[in-house]
Amino acid sequence: MSETVYYTPKTVEGARQHLATEEFVKVVAGGQTLMLLVRQGFVDADALVDVSGVSALSGIDVADGTATIGATTTYRELSEHDLGGQLAMLGEASTVVGDRQVRTMGTVGGALGHADPAFDLLPTLCCLDAAVELGSTEGTRTVPIEQYLVGHMRTDRDPDELIERVRFDVDPRMGTAYEKHSRVEDGWATVGVAAAVTTEAGRFEDVRVGLTAVADTAVRSPAVEDALVGQPVSEDAIEAASEAVVEDIDPLDDLSGSAAYKRSLAPALVERAIGTALERTGGER
Ligand SMILES: Cc1cc2nc3c(=O)[nH]c(=O)nc-3n(C[C@H](O)[C@H](O)[C@H](O)COP(=O)(O)OP(=O)(O)OC[C@H]3O[C@@H](n4cnc5c(N)ncnc54)[C@H](O)[C@@H]3O)c2cc1C
């Protein structure tokens, strides 16, 4: 049995080079998911490329209406960064991921790399219309997150591509929130809902709703979004629109709850997430 080679590049170019030259190669960031899979024999790689020491891949930058989050940014860094009401959901989603170890070590790139349909961060990135920047020795390409998430733990990333960062626009008028229900504290989501809202002259101008643990990947809810855009801001409008979420979800029974329970829970969490996001816009209800 051959030994797995463990690379620790310090530059993006170095990491890209290893991914281009090694055949059965995996990136490792915080190792919270990958190393479990390696230990259990589900992943067998000739080479591991540890990107945790590539400083150019870490950090959060919000300037001139654009936010950039590096792939090795951890959940803990996201939750401790002062993101303001516009991006509050990123901190909220990061705070409820797993336990302290997972939040300290786990990264944005790791969430995007494994793309589990119950991950908390992915619906927030869907809500923000984030673009995923992928790099290889061939160059860089940017993929909208809804195209990046192809299906159950499947993404548009090629094996020789490094997830380098995500980018999205930040509207200073936007309010956001993340609501998660799980069976136990520190548990996986039964349902998780991210919402981003802007209002103009007492009407909903832009509404985005993203959900986790209710389909084979994180999804948006156009039914809820379309039902609210242009409507006068009111609790009744939010409540009525939230019911439409069932049109956009297709949950399966899992260890966190039955499909029927998820369906009955989703509208209430959508209503709560939109309501909190709305409060953070300073908009009236
Ligand atoms: C006990 C436990 C509880 C958890 N609970 C939750 C929870 O409640 N909610 C939740 O959302 N998640 C939960 N998680 C999962 C957690 O979110 C992931 O383990 C974490 O995001 C993975 O990040 P990482 O940096 O450790 O990735 P790694 O484990 O290092 O990598 C994960 C995958 O992504 C790939 N990858 C990583 N970085 C890159 C990159 N830059 N470019 C290309 N590919 C890359 C790897 O090759 C691998 O396939 C839990 C995990 C554990 C172990």
Side-chain angles (χ1 to χ4, degrees), residues 18-153:
H18 292 310
L19 291 180
T21 49
E22 294 287 348
E23 198 177 353
F24 298 110
V25 59
K26 292 291 277 183
V27 176
V28 56
Q32 296 304 291
T33 291
L34 185 69
M35 298 320 283
L36 274 179
L37 296 175
V38 168
R39 244 177 269 136
Q40 291 165 350
F42 291 116
V43 169
D44 186 15
D46 290 343
L48 294 175
V49 181
D50 181 342
V51 292
S52 60
V54 182
S55 56
L57 293 179
S58 87
I60 302 162
D61 181 56
V62 187
D64 302 326
T66 303
T68 308
I69 303 174
T72 60
T73 304
T74 63
Y75 293 119
R76 184 172 169 184
E77 287 166 336
L78 261 183
S79 63
E80 289 180 352
H81 198 90
D82 181 15
L83 291 162
Q86 296 102 328
L87 297 178
M89 69 177 161
L90 290 176
E92 286 171 342
S94 302
T95 308
V96 295
V97 169
D99 54 27
R100 186 181 296 207
Q101 176 185 310
V102 176
R103 294 191 292 272
T104 304
M105 301 296 293
T107 65
V108 173
L112 286 163
H114 192 60
D116 188 292
F119 275 178
D120 292 293
L121 198 63
L122 301 180
T124 67
L125 296 176
C126 289
C127 244
L128 292 163
D129 280 335
V132 183
E133 216 174 282
L134 301 166
S136 70
T137 52
E138 303 293 308
T140 304
R141 68 186 178 108
T142 301
V143 186
I145 187 145
E146 287 194 79
Q147 288 168 31
Y148 172 83
L149 297 172
V150 172
H152 184 83
M153 293 192 199

Side-chain angles (χ1 to χ4, degrees), residues 258-269:
S258 68
Y261 182 48
K262 286 167 184 264
R263 281 186 172 280
S264 67
L265 190 59
L269 290 180

Side-chain angles (χ1 to χ4, degrees), residues 136-268:
S136 70
T137 52
E138 303 293 308
T140 304
R141 68 186 178 108
T142 301
V143 186
I145 187 145
E146 287 194 79
Q147 288 168 31
Y148 172 83
L149 297 172
V150 172
H152 184 83
M153 293 192 199
R154 286 189 302 119
T155 74
D156 186 45
R157 185 183 82 86
D158 292 329
D160 67 337
E161 286 181 313
L162 188 62
I163 300 161
E164 299 190 345
R165 54 193 60 79
V166 289
R167 237 184 256 286
F168 46 85
D169 295 335
V170 182
D171 184 331
R173 299 169 307 143
M174 178 169 71
T176 68
Y178 183 68
E179 290 285 344
K180 173 180 185 175
H181 180 83
S182 53
R183 287 197 322 162
V184 289
E185 197 186 349
D186 292 349
W188 290 88
T190 305
V191 177
V193 179
V197 172
T198 56
T199 60
E200 180 66 39
R203 289 179 182 270
F204 287 103
E205 184 188 57
D206 188 17
V207 178
R208 303 184 210 159
V209 174
L211 296 105
T212 197
V214 291
D216 63 356
T217 187
V219 290
R220 288 273 292 268
S221 178
V224 176
E225 297 171 2
D226 294 347
L228 277 179
V229 170
Q231 295 295 318
V233 171
S234 76
E235 281 181 6
D236 288 348
I238 298 172
E239 188 183 345
S242 298
E243 296 296 330
V245 71
V246 294
E247 294 171 28
D248 294 321
I249 62 177
D250 188 14
L252 296 174
D253 295 340
D254 64 28
L255 293 175
S256 301
S258 68
Y261 182 48
K262 286 167 184 264
R263 281 186 172 280
S264 67
L265 190 59

